[in-house]
Amino acid sequence: MSRAAPGRIEAICRRAPVIPVLVIDDAAIAEPLARALVTGGLPILEVTLRTDAALDAIKAMTRVPGATVGAGTVLNARDLERAKQAGAEFTVSPGSTDALLSASEAANMPLLPGAATASEAMHLLDRGYGVQKFFPASAAGGAPMLKALSGPLPQIRFCPTGGIGLDNAPDYLGLPNVLCVGGSWITPAHLVQRGEWEAIEALARQAAELPRP
């Protein structure tokens, strides 16, 4: 098994305290949206594969200088290949299967795999994934759960997503086993739909200034 790809995801997660989780319905807005986020200090972008426009949005965002664009909601090898062909530099999954892990390793694609329990986290660690997505964060116990996991599993670092906003992001980012958080609060639908890129840039700048240990 190649350990190169699992190792690279840590460097990606360390670049900013927040990874915007993006659901894009119109690829035409992808480039200006990415530009606003990068200018605001959030260069790591996750485009979820939940819409027909997602792959075209990834292609468009890769043209923005400074952007590192990944694909989220990657569930299987087909999703992984489609994301790679679109130009994604990393992938994110809500959970993990051995088939997806093997496909990621074969493709040398950095993957942030999801875990919600100690058993899932241990399985991923055995496969070489010391950086994991904690999802769904709020429903799975939130910051207290991650604090509890840090005792028996101090070698694992997490990117929690799910139910995280500006109000509770500091609770997660203050934990020693959290590298960054993922969230959609930086790109509220009404601002995206109206193309208010300066407002989104301001939200990105506010998120980029969140402290980490």
Side-chain angles (χ1 to χ4, degrees), residues 114-206:
T117 67
S119 293
E120 292 169 353
M122 288 167 61
H123 174 69
L124 288 170
L125 185 63
D126 279 346
R127 290 287 298 249
Y129 293 84
V131 177
Q132 304 170 16
K133 172 179 175 174
F134 180 60
F135 176 84
S138 292
M145 176 66 167
L146 284 174
K147 184 177 181 180
L149 287 175
S150 69
L153 299 170
Q155 65 273 62
I156 301 177
R157 297 293 179 267
F158 292 96
C159 171
T161 70
I164 296 178
L166 184 62
D167 58 336
N168 63 356
D171 297 336
Y172 292 93
L173 291 170
L175 298 174
N177 60 341
V178 170
L179 292 177
C180 61
V181 301
S184 57
W185 84 87
I186 312 104
T187 57
H190 68 283
L191 294 182
V192 174
Q193 290 166 0
R194 295 201 295 257
E196 296 189 19
W197 310 126
E198 289 186 3
I200 289 175
E201 180 184 332
L203 289 173
R205 200 173 303 281
Q206 184 182 40

Side-chain angles (χ1 to χ4, degrees), residues 100-125:
L100 177 59
L101 298 178
S102 295
S104 298
E105 291 152 11
N108 198 31
M109 171 66 81
L111 169 68
L112 183 63
T117 67
S119 293
E120 292 169 353
M122 288 167 61
H123 174 69
L124 288 170
L125 185 63

